[in-house]
Structures are given as structure tokens and as C-alpha cells.
Amino acid sequence: MGTEGARALLESAGRLTLQTGNLLNWGCLRKKCPATPGEEVRDCIQKTLTEWSSKIGQDLNQETLEVLECSVAQAIEKINPEERDELKVSAKLFIVGSNSPSIRDAVDLACSALGVAQLDSVIIAPPPIEDGTNLSLAYLQPYWQELENLVQNKKIVAIGTSDLDKTLLEQLYLWAQVKPSSNQVNLASCCVMPPDLTAFAKQRDIQLLTHNDPKELLCEASFQEALQESIQNVKASEWIPLWLLRYSVIVKSRGIIKSKGYIMQAKRNAS
């Protein structure tokens, strides 16, 4: 096992980029079906780290890198350019411990990992807010402006939101230059779509979708636990997850998933 080598690399790096590759290619790595989206994320991160660290050589004099790239090599799968028009590439982005400029990093990494020039759709989950404060348009604006820039630069075709009520969705719609094309609603919080939201979405041609993601899909503690379990004696508490992107590649004509996976980035806060 190369946990010593992996630990040495982690202790000298400043950032970690993790890619699961196509989970449909994991084979024996994926023995059980996770019960929740949160469990799936944690399981995927832990297994990716374990697989990556097992391939690291024991040479502690190996080159140290500022940004470590951690992946399951056999699962990495780029899209065949000849098939690109037949596929829809969608992503949902969860900001964990970073600010709006990191959206560009996430989209660039997703495009690079999948071998595409642009993503067809990106939905942003509500960025984390402090307890006792409500999500507001002012708080969303810098994140949305970053997404708008990516649409204007042809890195994304359509952008959407998640968990916005009718009031906030309307405020965003009226303010935004690039209008939201969709809004996800968590069915755990409402079994039936709110009528005012449904009416507004229909009027403005916004697609309402459902999801079952928790409010916090990946928290700091969960990431650090996965790191600790994968690589012995690593200083897991130094590592802070910045963002997590979940992507899916769907064959348009048949509606089947060809590929799905996660990409995330973390940074080390050395004391």
C-alpha cells in the first residue's frame, strides 16, 4: 500500500482535485448501493482516495506538487467527439467552503475531465449561509454573475437554480441577464409543488425539477473522515473541501445514463 507516499504528498500540497471518473466503470469498487446521496458522495470520495493512494510509490523523495490530482484511472472516460451531439452533459454544483470565482474552476475541470468544450446545463445548489440568516438575492448575485460569464463565454448552455421559493426565483429572474432555465425543488420539504411557484415557472418558461439532495451534500467533517479512513495518519483536519460537482451524461434519444461521477476540490490550511 502506498499510504506513506500519499500522506507525504498530501502534507506538501496546497490543493487536492479528486475525480471519481465514470461510476458505471467502477466494477468491484462499487459493491453496495448507497442509501442516500450523502452516503454515495462520502463512499465515492473514500474509495477514490484509497485506490489512488494504493498506486503511489513508496519513494518519499518523489516530486511534490502544489495541486494533487487524485483519480481512479480505470474509470476516467472522455466523451467521443463524434457522439457529442447525441449526449446531454449536465452538472449540479455544490459550493462548500469557497466563493463565486471557484465556479469557473469547477466548470473548467468538468469540461477537461469529460473532454468537452461546454456543459449543456449547470444547476447551482444554494451556497452555504450562516445559521440564522436567510438566502437573499444579494447573496446569490455574485454566484449567478459567475455562471452568466460562463454562458457568455460558451462554457455552459443553460443555467438553473435549486431550492428557491417563488419570491426569490422571481427576484433572480427579474434581475438576471441570463435567466434561470430550471429550478429544482426538494420533495422532502414539499410533497406537492407550491402553486405560486408552479404558476410563475409556467409563465416564465422555467422547468421545475425534483431532487433528493440534503441541504449539505458534503460537509467538512464528512470529507475529513473519508480522508482519515483512506490514508493512515494523514492530517485530515488541515483539509477543507471547497466545492463538489456531480455530473451526468445522458443519451438524448433514449434517456439512459451513459456516465455519472463526481469532481471536487479541497485546500489545505496548514497551521
Side-chain angles (χ1 to χ4, degrees), residues 34-139:
T36 66
E39 280 179 24
E40 178 178 77
V41 168
R42 193 183 175 290
D43 193 47
C44 288
I45 289 171
Q46 193 213 324
K47 285 179 176 162
T48 302
L49 286 164
T50 302
E51 182 73 6
W52 168 75
S53 66
S54 73
K55 302 285 194 289
I56 300 286
Q58 297 290 356
D59 177 15
L60 298 185
N61 296 318
Q62 61 196 313
E63 183 189 2
T64 58
L65 300 166
E66 171 60 21
V67 180
L68 274 185
E69 294 194 1
C70 162
S71 63
V72 178
Q74 69 268 28
I76 299 297
E77 180 179 274
K78 292 190 186 290
I79 289 171
N80 181 341
E82 291 176 10
E83 296 177 359
R84 179 64 183 94
D85 290 345
E86 300 160 24
L87 305 170
K88 181 177 181 183
V89 184
S90 305
K92 185 171 181 179
L93 179 60
F94 303 84
I95 303 292
V96 186
S98 59
N99 50 20
S100 52
S102 63
I103 291 174
R104 178 174 291 276
D105 293 341
V107 170
D108 283 346
L109 277 166
C111 287
S112 172
L114 294 167
V116 296
Q118 66 178 186
L119 305 179
D120 295 309
S121 150
V122 173
I123 286 173
I124 186 166
I129 49 175
E130 291 178 16
D131 289 341
T133 56
N134 291 322
L135 193 61
S136 65
L137 177 63
Y139 190 74

Side-chain angles (χ1 to χ4, degrees), residues 7 19 24 27 32 45 48 51 56 87 99 114 130 156 162 185 211 228 232 240 248 251 256:
R7 188 172 68 245
Q19 289 182 40
L24 306 183
K32 63 183 177 67
I45 289 171
T48 302
E51 182 73 6
I56 300 286
L87 305 170
N99 50 20
L114 294 167
E130 291 178 16
I156 309 174
S162 183
V185 178
H211 75 93
Q228 193 72 61
Q232 293 169 353
I240 312 294
S248 62
V251 181
I256 60 167

Side-chain angles (χ1 to χ4, degrees), residues 20-21 99 124 135 142 158 173 211 226 252 265 268:
T20 63
N99 50 20
I124 186 166
L135 193 61
Y173 185 92
H211 75 93
K252 291 178 189 173
Q265 197 167 67
R268 186 167 70 95

Side-chain angles (χ1 to χ4, degrees), residues 3-16 49 52-53 64-66 68 70 223 227 230-231 234-235 238-239 268:
T3 54
E4 281 184 39
R7 188 172 68 245
L9 287 173
L10 283 162
E11 285 176 359
S12 60
R15 292 207 174 207
L16 170 72
L49 286 164
W52 168 75
S53 66
T64 58
L65 300 166
E66 171 60 21
L68 274 185
C70 162
F223 174 70
L227 193 55
S230 315
I231 299 161
V234 72
K235 294 174 182 169
E238 292 184 348
W239 285 91
R268 186 167 70 95

Side-chain angles (χ1 to χ4, degrees), residues 126-215:
I129 49 175
E130 291 178 16
D131 289 341
T133 56
N134 291 322
L135 193 61
S136 65
L137 177 63
Y139 190 74
L140 276 176
Q141 281 171 332
Y143 295 93
W144 196 257
Q145 283 172 321
E146 198 65 37
L147 287 169
E148 288 181 326
N149 289 339
L150 290 164
V151 172
Q152 281 148 11
N153 291 331
K154 297 191 165 29
K155 294 292 284 186
I156 309 174
V157 178
I159 49 180
T161 56
S162 183
D163 301 313
L164 299 193
D165 61 16
K166 185 260 181 184
T167 304
L168 196 47
L169 184 61
E170 184 173 20
Q171 288 174 354
L172 178 66
Y173 185 92
L174 294 172
W175 166 81
Q177 283 186 296
V178 180
K179 309 298 184 188
S181 65
S182 60
N183 180 47
Q184 285 190 335
V185 178
N186 191 329
L187 282 185
S189 59
C190 64
C191 300
V192 180
M193 292 276 187
D196 61 342
L197 181 62
T198 306
F200 177 75
K202 187 175 181 182
Q203 178 191 358
R204 301 295 189 180
D205 199 24
I206 299 170
Q207 189 178 15
L208 290 183
L209 307 166
T210 59
H211 75 93
N212 65 339
D213 295 316
K215 203 165 188 180

